[in-house]
Amino acid sequence: MSRTLHLNVFIHGRGHHEAAWRHPRAGSAPLTDIGFYEQIAAIAERGRFDSVFFADHLAIGSEVRHAARGALEPLTLLAALARATEHIGLIATASSTYTEPYNLARQFASIDHISGGRAGWNIVTSWLKATSANFGDSAQLGHDERYDRAFEYLDVVTKLWDSWADDAHVDDRHSGTYVDADRVRAIRHSGRYYQVAGALNVPRSPQGRPLLVQAGSSDKGRQFAATYAEAVFTAHLEKATAVEFSTDLKARAAALGRDPGHVLVLPGLSPAIGSTEAEAAALWDELNALTVPEVGLGHLSARFGGADLSHLSLDERLSPGDLPDPANVEGAQSRAELIHRLVASERPTLRALLHKLAGGRGHYITAGTPEQIADVIEDWFRSGAADGFNVMPPILPAVLTDFVEQVVPILQRRGLFRREYTESTLRGHYGLSRPENRFFPAGR
Amino acid sequence: MSRTLHLNVFIHGRGHHEAAWRHPRAGSAPLTDIGFYEQIAAIAERGRFDSVFFADHLAIGSEVRHAARGALEPLTLLAALARATEHIGLIATASSTYTEPYNLARQFASIDHISGGRAGWNIVTSWLKATSANFGDSAQLGHDERYDRAFEYLDVVTKLWDSWADDAHVDDRHSGTYVDADRVRAIRHSGRYYQVAGALNVPRSPQGRPLLVQAGSSDKGRQFAATYAEAVFTAHLEKATAVEFSTDLKARAAALGRDPGHVLVLPGLSPAIGSTEAEAAALWDELNALTVPEVGLGHLSARFGGADLSHLSLDERLSPGDLPDPANVEGAQSRAELIHRLVASERPTLRALLHKLAGGRGHYITAGTPEQIADVIEDWFRSGAADGFNVMPPILPAVLTDFVEQVVPILQRRGLFRREYTESTLRGHYGLSRPENRFFPAGR
């Protein structure tokens, strides 16, 4: 088969379950220890993963009392990992709202050089009030304006990445010409939100442009992804919504003239793996028993714009009316809608809902034997729900090791996943070509 | 003797001479090759240098035609070097004018964690028009306002670095307390230029705060350095002005209640090294013969606010009246004054002036045998001109290798310089203590 599965590992604290840091299988390294991340990246590379990924939040709050927060900054972390790894792609989140485009463009270009073409940028527009309070407050924008700015931001950043022709650096000692200055271009961008003269002060990077990743799910977020994203992280609690999402996103990309096969959809998957299904499921119980309800409540409240949920009792069944209307929620609306739908269909107790969200924060969580996990993956992959998965191990690195040692070999035997790296760049792993330079097309 | 010499290597292109990239002794690696920097750092570490340093410019112009420009971004570069080195300090320039304080604080804190306490920040306020044009244009500020903002910026950044007590991360699995939230503090900074709620999302770093370095020489620049800087890079063409500068800076620091021994002054030194003085001097001739006058003229013009100097002829003697009045120059006024003084005293031809500046851009350049170079270093060190040197090899890595193999052993034999690293942090190398946390003093 020509279509190949893609696997990214999402690195988050000591694991994606909110209480992972307390579990006996979790390591004890602090989240500021580069060795912890090097270990995870080495395991993922041994499993022939396409990439590792770091999310980011530009603020920290009281959740840190009970949740593993306060870690290394993602871009400096990627740069360090670039030298500790050989093959795996390196993706990090950075905010288009709170980083100057010139700074962001050059840091990612630089990481792409340092890693030999393995950098990817997960584009976020940042919507938390706590974040804007760390950046002068005035910058908090509405959902639509954040995306309007993000569209222009991407235009600026991709122009900067294209501001050097690939052959600009001639380095001719004899004639004294270091760079063919006719092959470096001032971008002279003057738009509604940004004025950037260019050129970038970093030559074009090995991938031409770092891989563009995105995770928005609102209408505007999908349109943005369809326009710019090459890989899309997405959260689904069931296959049906994942199919619907992927179908919609690829149709939007096609309508914009893009090859829908070049927009890879990677739903989150948080697996507990055991020698029996019951043993696997027990891991969720162990983890849930370690949760602190106020952490989960804080997250749930944040999902609904900071709504006060303190009147709800943990062990009574919820109905959708107990939660604010998602239409009024600023930020990750789609995540609020997903929770609403879940409450409507399952009528869980608040405690059960918090446990479900503690495991994967709205992503698909499952438990099973390695064969069962591989079955889920193959099913989603073959039915158009996924081009691959954003693997979110509930405990890190322990469950990633389980996945690499027990699930990956099954996927390889089934012919779904690579046995060896065959490409040297992140774009190569994802089957994507190197983008043509818009200012200096090939053969000119 | 208790006072110890400090050595930093300033990494710039393929060497500090403008034409170094064309010289047969220069390497051929592109400036985007991390291996090039790893090689230099390894040589410097072998020479027991205190630190390596990268300058930065947030723009690139037509000088790239004949000058080696377009390199890796300094912070991602430092993060990568942190894993390729074990002992040496890692200093990079970043702009207080064009980087959000929250972003800068966390990236440097992160590098300090990744390197185990070896990060340093060279604070610049950025004055080039070409830079402001890459950052929305509106942000170009006058000299005094840039420094007013920089004072507040440092207040914000140092608060963020102190926003976690060293013992905040308790990681108590049993009780479920990950962080003692009473030991993490929202800084709630609300000033004239910045509003930052804090806390930082990175725990306090190994050095408490990365080392603060600065290079301003104007009155306001000196006052800023006396207030915040722990190491100061400075450019002098003669020992007398270096003594005067160091004396003034230390007096200012003392007047602010600081220990003047904790403000280390490191003049730039660009040495050509040979088995005879004549052989050493020949290197400058070789390099000067490779210069392209338009590059030097462009630099000289930039030093004088972009003044048109095209009417001057290369081989006629200059008088000070040929150059604009330094008092009218925005930006690095002190450098313009230094050039004016040189022209007044030596009456060089324009070509000779360009050659002098091509070697060290206004820093002290010299040529000699290893003993002669060591004599200069010892003389400046003993006479109060320098606590150490910002070594600017005219060719990289070749002349750094010469320095490490030929000059360092002499300095070691004279008891001026360390034979082995005895400390593990950059502050340790420079003999500086770990700063107390302003919010969480020891014993509280």
Side-chain angles (χ1 to χ4, degrees), chain A residues 397-431:
Chain A
V399 180
L400 177 63
T401 302
D402 296 347
F403 190 94
V404 163
E405 292 179 354
Q406 299 168 39
V407 180
V408 167
I410 299 171
L411 299 171
Q412 289 169 332
R413 276 200 298 277
R414 294 185 189 179
L416 292 167
F417 194 60
R418 70 175 68 82
R419 288 176 184 274
E420 296 298 337
Y421 288 107
T422 56
E423 301 282 338
S424 64
T425 67
L426 174 54
R427 289 183 174 278
H429 300 332
Y430 278 111

Side-chain angles (χ1 to χ4, degrees), chain A residues 180-379:
Chain A
D180 179 350
D182 297 337
R183 307 286 286 166
V184 177
R185 178 177 167 131
I187 67 166
R188 300 187 211 287
H189 178 92
S190 180
R192 183 162 163 207
Y193 300 104
Y194 300 101
Q195 279 72 44
V196 180
L200 197 63
N201 54 5
V202 181
R204 199 157 191 255
S205 73
Q207 292 187 107
R209 304 175 193 164
L211 186 79
L212 295 177
V213 183
Q214 215 256 346
S217 301
S218 65
D219 179 62
K220 204 126 188 180
R222 290 179 189 208
Q223 206 53 31
F224 183 79
T227 306
Y228 281 113
E230 298 165 301
V232 175
F233 295 147
T234 179
H236 297 276
L237 291 172
E238 46 184 339
K239 190 176 75 173
T241 64
V243 172
E244 182 188 289
F245 175 82
S246 179
T247 307
D248 175 63
L249 194 69
K250 285 168 191 272
R252 289 176 189 245
L256 290 165
R258 295 181 64 198
D259 179 344
H262 292 172
V263 186
L264 302 168
V265 176
L266 306 174
L269 170 69
S270 188
I273 304 164
S275 60
T276 64
E277 192 176 338
E279 185 193 305
L283 182 67
W284 290 122
D285 295 335
E286 289 167 21
L287 286 164
N288 286 334
L290 294 170
T291 54
V292 176
E294 73 181 78
V295 175
L297 266 176
H299 281 291
L300 189 62
S301 161
R303 289 289 175 208
F304 289 92
D308 181 7
L309 304 174
S310 59
H311 59 286
L312 301 175
S313 78
L314 278 168
D315 294 307
E316 278 175 34
R317 283 185 181 276
L318 291 170
S319 70
D322 292 330
L323 298 172
D325 184 345
N328 300 330
V329 170
E330 182 59 40
Q333 277 177 11
S334 54
R335 210 64 74 86
E337 280 162 13
L338 181 154
I339 295 168
H340 240 257
R341 234 176 2 249
L342 177 79
V343 168
S345 70
E346 301 187 6
R347 300 288 315 278
T349 63
L350 177 58
R351 190 187 301 275
L353 177 66
L354 295 182
H355 285 173
K356 190 134 193 166
L357 297 175
R361 301 189 307 286
H363 289 267
Y364 187 75
I365 67 174
T366 187
T369 64
E371 286 286 344
Q372 288 175 315
I373 304 294
D375 288 348
V376 169
I377 289 172
E378 182 163 4
D379 176 35

Side-chain angles (χ1 to χ4, degrees), chain A residues 14 20-35 38 56-60 62 64-77 79-81 83-84 98-103 106-111 113-115 130 132-137 160 164 169 171-182 184 194-203 290 292, chain B residues 14 20-35 38 56-60 62 64-77 79-81 83-84 98-103 106-111 113-115 130 132-137 160 164 169 171-182 184 194-203 290 292:
Chain A
R14 287 186 188 147
W21 69 273
R22 300 180 65 186
H23 193 275
R25 288 191 75 198
S28 59
L31 299 180
T32 49
D33 180 351
I34 183 70
E38 289 180 349
D56 194 28
H57 298 280
L58 291 168
I60 198 161
S62 59
V64 75
R65 198 182 291 273
H66 301 296
R69 297 282 186 280
L72 296 174
E73 183 278 334
L75 297 192
T76 48
L77 175 51
L81 283 182
R83 298 305 284 162
Y98 297 114
T99 319
E100 286 279 355
Y102 199 86
N103 291 337
R106 70 193 288 241
Q107 289 202 324
F108 272 104
S110 187
I111 295 168
H113 280 290
I114 293 170
S115 64
S132 82
N134 287 330
F135 292 84
D137 254 334
L160 287 170
W164 288 57
H169 175 237
D171 209 346
D172 181 352
R173 292 177 192 220
H174 182 70
S175 71
T177 302
Y178 185 74
V179 160
D180 179 350
D182 297 337
V184 177
Y194 300 101
Q195 279 72 44
V196 180
L200 197 63
N201 54 5
V202 181
L290 294 170
V292 176
Chain B
R14 287 186 187 147
W21 69 272
R22 300 179 66 184
H23 193 275
R25 288 191 75 197
S28 60
L31 299 181
T32 49
D33 180 352
I34 182 70
E38 290 179 349
D56 194 28
H57 298 280
L58 291 167
I60 198 162
S62 59
V64 75
R65 197 182 291 273
H66 301 296
R69 298 281 186 281
L72 297 174
E73 183 279 332
L75 298 192
T76 48
L77 174 51
L81 283 183
R83 299 305 284 163
Y98 296 114
T99 319
E100 285 279 355
Y102 199 86
N103 290 338
R106 69 192 288 242
Q107 289 201 324
F108 272 104
S110 187
I111 295 168
H113 281 291
I114 292 170
S115 63
S132 83
N134 287 330
F135 292 84
D137 255 333
L160 287 169
W164 289 57
H169 175 237
D171 210 345
D172 182 351
R173 293 177 192 220
H174 182 69
S175 70
T177 301
Y178 185 74
V179 159
D180 178 351
D182 298 336
V184 177
Y194 299 102
Q195 279 72 43
V196 180
L200 197 63
N201 54 4
V202 181
L290 295 170
V292 176

Side-chain angles (χ1 to χ4, degrees), chain B residues 165 167 182-183 185 436-444:
Chain B
D167 59 5
D182 298 336
R183 307 285 287 166
R185 175 175 170 134
E436 181 157 76
N437 189 317
R438 74 168 93 176
F439 300 127
F440 304 101
R444 223 201 62 189

